[in-house]
Amino acid sequence: MESLHGVPVVTVNTVVVGTGSAGFCAADRLWELGQTDVVMVADKVNAGSSRNAGSDKQTYYKLTLSGGDGDSVREMAETLYSGGAMDGDNALAEAALSARGFLRLCDLGVPFPQNRYGEFIGYKTDHDPRRRATSVGPYTSRSMVEQLEKKVHRNGTRIYDECRVVDVIVEDGAVAGLLVLRTDVPHDGAESPFLLFRCTNLVYATGGPAGMYATRVFPNGQWGASGAAYRAGVHGKNLTEWQFGLASTHPRWNVSGTYMQVVPTFVSTDADGVSSPREFLTEAIPDYGQLMSLVFLKGYQWPFDIRKALDGSSLIDLLVYRETVLRGRRVFLDFRRNPVQEDFDPSALSPEAYEYLDRAGVLFGTPIERLRRMNEPAYQFYLGKNPYVDLETTMLEVDVCAQHNNGGLVVDAWWQSNIEGFFPVGEAGGAHGVYRPGGAALNSGQVGATRAAQFIAARRTEDPRPFESSATSVVDAALALVAAASSRAASGIPDNTGDLLDEVQVLMSAKAGPVRSAQSIHEALEQVHAWLASYEANVSADASSRRSINRTFLVRDILTSAYVYLSAMADYVGHGGRSRGSVLYTDPGGAIPHGLAELPDVFRFTLDGGALDDEVQETSWEPSDDDPAGRMSFRWRPRRPIPEDDDFFENVWREFRETGNVF
């Protein structure tokens, strides 16, 4: 095998980084399209959000495939586009390929429900004017991963497991390779713990940069690797647009859907989790019927939505945030008793909530009795988790958690970034806008992976270029970082990788979570800049510990991502950006949510009102001789409109046959 400075080199046309539903889809699509010179890389095959995340009824969003309701590709594209700050060509592609991607999953064995005539029945999800949503239960994405993985194994595609992304190698504006750290190789000198891939294309399916936040619902083992992409010159898009939502923290799981619709009691305690328990929603929502109705609405208005924060269901998210962040207390859901009073009084519910619970046959009892009647698997789910939670006997701890990044790495209509041959797909790619229908992320991952594979198979099948100085400099820098960090540890300086990891996560959740201000962003940015600028000079890691050396690169990646994201947030505020999506930006002159007038100005906000819906923020990092942390730049551009193509069949058919210009 070829090597560079003792580091083995694997030469291949395409490397797919990530083994979630988007990564496996890309690898399989490439194989089906005849591009079999492909390998996959993962930090841990069985980790990641696709395999380990979900909700009571995890949604997949696609074109309507049942009933008499009208729908069209154009209408679905307009729904996606209406979320704001989304490029129209991405919206059109996600609509156009949604049926193809969905039916492919069905053929592979994902058991999406259908009626006796073969219609795939749907339901309405959030931000959805039709009934485009479907589900196979709590683990829709896991089922997708499992079936796609089986297919990739049947194809014979090689998978390199336990590889931490170190750096992306770029030459002349195009992908040249990838350097990874093999976390399964002992650091005993017998073989290099590094591995180089020389390639023409990188399909980057690494998920969102989940490692930035401490309060998150992303599963353990989902870290992301966006920092390496930014260091390589890939631009970011809509990085400010995170989704936050209520989730249990031990174990991590979204408490959407039935968990809220059965109207549990919200209880807060002192930091010990026992002392001074009290119901706290009543402080801001004294009306019994309104309180129960808003809790019910959290079920299908689940993500925190600033538009519903003044007097709607997202007021509950802010009340939980007040308890946990501002008061330092802990919050629990108690399914054993009804809110406010012992007996459940359904007559106080809003007509919408009453009708729903009446049709479900649960206008009785306690929340746990209603839950087990409506959705027994939602109860059983927590019995099978680690840690085990029996909702019949134990309260469930929750918080407002980072759940999904709607922004990400910039993509064009074929999911190629500004770097030639670099294709971010799944959550790593910034294809979404400010808002998106529930389940649109699963569809986007399949569509982006398919589009990238199509483009690679049609236009980028050439052999990789020979490595030049760029690969050597990347390898030398990685070796130097490990040598310096291990030298400090050997001299007696304690390993600080774990502390740094914890500190940046806590900082991001406190200063750049669902409630932010220009001041909090500035404070976080100053601290992250200081950590990143001094990282190579201060990091200390035990050379004999694979975990410690792994964290050396992981923490650098997370610090890079945090620096880029915070810079984008600061630029957003400087550009006149106000509260939108799943974020409250403090405005001392703004409105205060109903019932929270006693709070400080941190909860005052002014809605964006769609002012920036037609603009996209792009963010780029580049090295600087003057600043070890790098230099940031930004541009705001008009979003690309939904294309108006000639759809006359004969013209399209001729172009497709004769020129292949579809790609």
Side-chain angles (χ1 to χ4, degrees):
M1 179 183 290
E2 180 186 353
S3 68
L4 179 69
H5 287 206
V7 176
V9 177
V10 175
T11 299
V12 64
N13 174 267
T14 300
V15 177
V16 178
V17 188
T19 50
S21 58
F24 276 125
C25 177
D28 181 45
R29 290 290 195 186
L30 284 163
W31 191 90
E32 292 283 355
L33 292 167
Q35 180 51 279
T36 59
D37 189 19
V38 178
V39 299
M40 300 189 73
V41 172
D43 58 359
K44 198 171 291 294
V45 167
N46 291 323
S49 293
S50 291
R51 198 182 300 265
N52 297 291
S55 61
D56 77 312
K57 187 172 68 176
Q58 190 183 22
T59 297
Y60 190 103
Y61 194 70
K62 46 89 184 100
L63 197 70
T64 303
L65 295 174
S66 66
D69 295 343
D71 202 357
S72 70
V73 168
R74 185 77 185 194
E75 185 178 336
M76 181 174 169
E78 289 171 349
T79 299
L80 297 169
Y81 189 68
S82 69
M86 183 179 190
D87 283 313
D89 48 9
N90 295 129
L92 184 58
E94 289 189 6
L97 273 72
S98 68
R100 178 178 183 176
F102 172 76
L103 294 172
R104 172 67 170 163
L105 293 169
C106 295
D107 289 342
L108 288 175
V110 180
F112 287 108
Q114 56 184 295
N115 65 16
R116 63 193 297 186
Y117 304 106
E119 294 178 289
F120 289 97
I121 304 302
Y123 57 89
K124 185 179 290 189
T125 184
D126 50 307
H127 310 306
D128 174 22
R130 296 294 183 184
R131 291 184 295 168
R132 298 182 179 126
T134 186
S135 174
V136 301
Y139 282 118
T140 300
S141 59
R142 174 180 289 185
S143 181
M144 292 163 56
V145 170
E146 289 173 344
Q147 300 306 323
L148 287 162
E149 182 180 23
K150 290 177 184 176
K151 179 59 165 57
V152 169
H153 283 307
R154 291 198 296 271
N155 297 344
T157 302
R158 182 170 181 181
I159 301 174
Y160 291 82
D161 197 6
E162 299 190 72
C163 293
R164 165 74 55 215
V165 170
V166 173
D167 272 308
V168 175
I169 302 167
V170 173
E171 290 182 354
D172 301 324
V175 163
L178 177 74
L179 177 66
V180 301
L181 175 76
R182 298 172 60 193
T183 57
D184 60 338
V185 173
H187 295 258
D188 56 9
E191 61 178 314
S192 174
F194 293 97
L195 183 62
L196 264 171
F197 293 90
R198 187 163 64 90
C199 58
T200 304
N201 306 291
L202 274 177
V203 178
Y204 217 60
T206 55
M212 292 199 315
Y213 286 102
T215 309
R216 63 191 189 275
V217 72
F218 291 96
N220 289 323
Q222 169 59 45
W223 299 105
S226 298
Y230 294 122
R231 286 195 306 275
V234 181
H235 294 173
K237 174 184 173 185
N238 292 339
L239 300 185
T240 57
E241 305 310 313
W242 281 85
Q243 280 187 191
F244 297 87
L246 287 173
S248 60
T249 56
H250 307 287
R252 297 177 185 172
W253 196 253
N254 296 324
V255 287
S256 57
T258 323
Y259 293 115
M260 292 290 105
Q261 289 165 341
V262 300
V263 195
T265 299
F266 281 72
V267 177
S268 78
T269 71
D270 287 342
D272 62 9
V274 177
S275 307
S276 306
R278 68 167 185 265
E279 286 191 57
F280 60 91
L281 296 186
T282 53
E283 295 178 24
I285 315 173
D287 182 87
Y288 171 69
Q290 183 189 24
L291 186 152
M292 290 201 303
S293 299
L294 290 180
V295 173
F296 168 85
L297 284 174
K298 282 305 300 176
Y300 55 84
Q301 295 178 349
W302 168 75
F304 173 58
D305 183 346
I306 191 61
R307 299 172 302 183
K308 300 180 180 73
L310 282 176
D311 53 9
S313 65
S314 289
L315 174 58
I316 293 171
D317 301 272
L318 293 184
L319 293 173
V320 172
Y321 182 91
R322 176 178 66 173
E323 294 297 300
T324 59
V325 176
L326 301 185
R327 292 176 170 175
R329 291 171 64 81
R330 294 167 67 181
V331 171
F332 298 84
L333 298 180
D334 190 346
F335 289 88
R336 302 167 299 179
R337 60 189 179 93
N338 289 304
V340 184
Q341 60 190 43
E342 181 179 352
D343 294 328
F344 181 58
D345 181 5
S347 67
L349 290 167
S350 67
E352 179 182 16
Y354 184 95
E355 180 183 358
Y356 188 97
L357 296 179
D358 184 34
R359 293 186 66 181
V362 291
L363 294 176
F364 67 88
T366 60
I368 189 62
E369 291 172 327
R370 295 191 287 273
L371 180 69
R372 298 199 67 174
R373 175 69 176 269
M374 282 181 69
N375 190 348
E376 175 69 14
Y379 164 72
Q380 294 291 335
F381 168 81
Y382 279 105
L383 295 178
K385 297 298 287 184
N386 183 18
Y388 157 100
V389 179
D390 186 350
L391 301 180
E392 292 264 20
T393 60
T394 308
M395 294 196 300
L396 181 69
E397 187 167 7
V398 299
D399 209 336
V400 184
C401 298
Q403 182 260 347
H404 190 275
N405 190 199
N406 280 357
L409 301 165
V410 69
V411 295
D412 67 7
W414 292 100
W415 270 253
Q416 186 169 212
S417 74
N418 59 295
I419 300 296
E420 187 180 345
F422 190 95
F423 298 83
V425 301
E427 192 179 347
H432 303 296
V434 180
Y435 295 96
R436 61 177 178 82
L442 294 184
N443 173 62
S444 180
Q446 298 299 289
V447 171
T450 300
R451 295 281 287 180
Q454 288 177 314
F455 192 85
I456 290 169
R459 299 282 294 274
R460 297 192 54 81
T461 58
E462 66 270 19
D463 291 336
R465 66 180 72 187
F467 273 138
E468 296 185 11
S469 59
S470 56
T472 300
S473 63
V474 165
V475 171
D476 287 346
L479 294 173
L481 180 59
V482 170
S486 58
S487 176
R488 291 186 197 98
S491 71
I493 298 174
D495 186 318
N496 58 11
T497 55
D499 290 341
L500 272 172
L501 179 59
D502 292 340
E503 288 169 6
V504 67
Q505 292 174 330
V506 169
L507 178 75
M508 290 295 292
S509 287
K511 304 285 188 181
V515 178
R516 309 169 190 163
S517 66
Q519 180 180 347
S520 73
I521 293 166
H522 175 72
E523 291 169 354
L525 184 55
E526 279 198 327
Q527 179 60 76
V528 169
H529 176 273
W531 281 330
L532 186 59
S534 63
Y535 187 72
E536 294 187 8
N538 291 326
V539 64
S540 178
D542 181 357
S544 65
S545 167
R546 283 179 285 169
R547 183 185 186 202
S548 184
I549 299 301
N550 179 15
R551 284 192 309 205
T552 299
F553 294 104
L554 172 63
V555 173
R556 183 183 67 163
D557 198 90
I558 290 171
L559 284 173
T560 303
S561 293
Y563 179 52
V564 173
Y565 274 73
L566 286 167
S567 298
M569 293 174 194
D571 178 69
Y572 175 81
V573 173
H575 192 71
R578 294 180 170 180
S579 297
R580 69 178 187 179
S582 202
V583 178
L584 185 158
Y585 287 91
T586 301
D587 178 359
I592 196 80
H594 173 72
L596 298 185
E598 77 280 5
L599 287 183
D601 283 347
V602 68
F603 279 93
R604 291 191 177 276
F605 69 92
T606 301
L607 286 175
D608 164 80
L612 297 177
D613 277 3
D614 289 325
E615 294 185 64
V616 168
Q617 181 204 48
E618 291 193 5
T619 305
S620 61
W621 179 97
E622 58 186 42
S624 169
D625 293 335
D626 301 323
D627 190 341
R631 181 172 63 248
M632 301 301 307
S633 60
F634 312 92
R635 76 167 180 138
W636 289 80
R637 61 166 174 82
R639 60 172 172 170
R640 301 188 294 268
I642 299 176
E644 295 283 357
D645 286 337
D646 175 11
D647 60 357
F648 183 67
F649 179 81
E650 303 298 341
N651 292 343
V652 175
W653 186 26
R654 182 177 61 254
E655 183 179 30
F656 182 78
R657 288 195 325 265
E658 296 177 357
T659 70
N661 280 346
V662 64
F663 300 107

